[in-house]
Amino acid sequence: MKKVLVLSAMMLTAVVGLAKDIKTVVVTTQPQMHCASCENKIKGNLRFEKGVKQIECNIPEQRVTITYDAEKTNSEAIIKSFEKFGYKAEPVKNDGKKAEKAPKKAVK
């Protein structure tokens, strides 16, 4: 019984240690997506970006949802990667509006 408990504790520790920090970013693009070809272009180019796990395009809502491993990349790098294939991406707030960029603090 003791061996089973020790083995279970070791396995649980291993699983927790291997857990990845998965995050999601939702963006809108310029030029806007209007067909399946646009969707394929975005998915085809983003899938090779480091850390990207899943890409979902919603043409009617003009949104691209990207799930990524935060240990390998960040949302800024993913947004910047859109420029490589001719798009400009802007993050979307949860309420559907474009996210406002925080003003930079003045350096004294």
Side-chain angles (χ1 to χ4, degrees):
M1 181 68 171
K2 209 178 210 183
K3 289 181 182 179
V4 172
L5 288 174
V6 171
L7 183 61
S8 297
M10 287 175 40
M11 288 177 56
L12 182 62
T13 304
V15 169
V16 171
L18 296 175
K20 296 188 180 222
D21 188 13
I22 304 297
K23 295 191 177 185
T24 302
V25 63
V26 179
V27 298
T28 184
T29 63
Q30 280 297 339
Q32 292 184 337
M33 298 179 291
H34 61 277
C35 63
S37 179
C38 298
E39 179 180 358
N40 291 336
K41 182 176 182 179
I42 290 169
K43 285 182 174 181
N45 285 284
L46 284 181
R47 70 184 177 140
F48 293 110
E49 289 298 319
K50 184 177 178 182
V52 172
K53 299 294 181 191
Q54 184 177 2
I55 307 158
E56 294 178 18
C57 295
N58 187 326
I59 295 172
E61 291 184 14
Q62 295 297 313
R63 292 184 183 197
V64 181
T65 304
I66 304 137
T67 304
Y68 63 95
D69 183 348
E71 294 175 0
K72 295 182 179 179
T73 191
N74 57 43
S75 60
E76 291 83 18
I78 291 172
I79 289 169
K80 188 163 178 69
S81 70
F82 275 82
E83 295 173 9
K84 294 177 186 175
F85 53 95
Y87 280 81
K88 181 180 177 196
E90 294 184 29
V92 176
K93 287 184 181 179
N94 290 340
D95 61 2
K97 297 178 182 173
K98 289 182 184 177
E100 297 291 326
K101 291 187 179 179
K104 292 183 180 180
K105 294 182 180 179
V107 178
K108 294 182 180 181

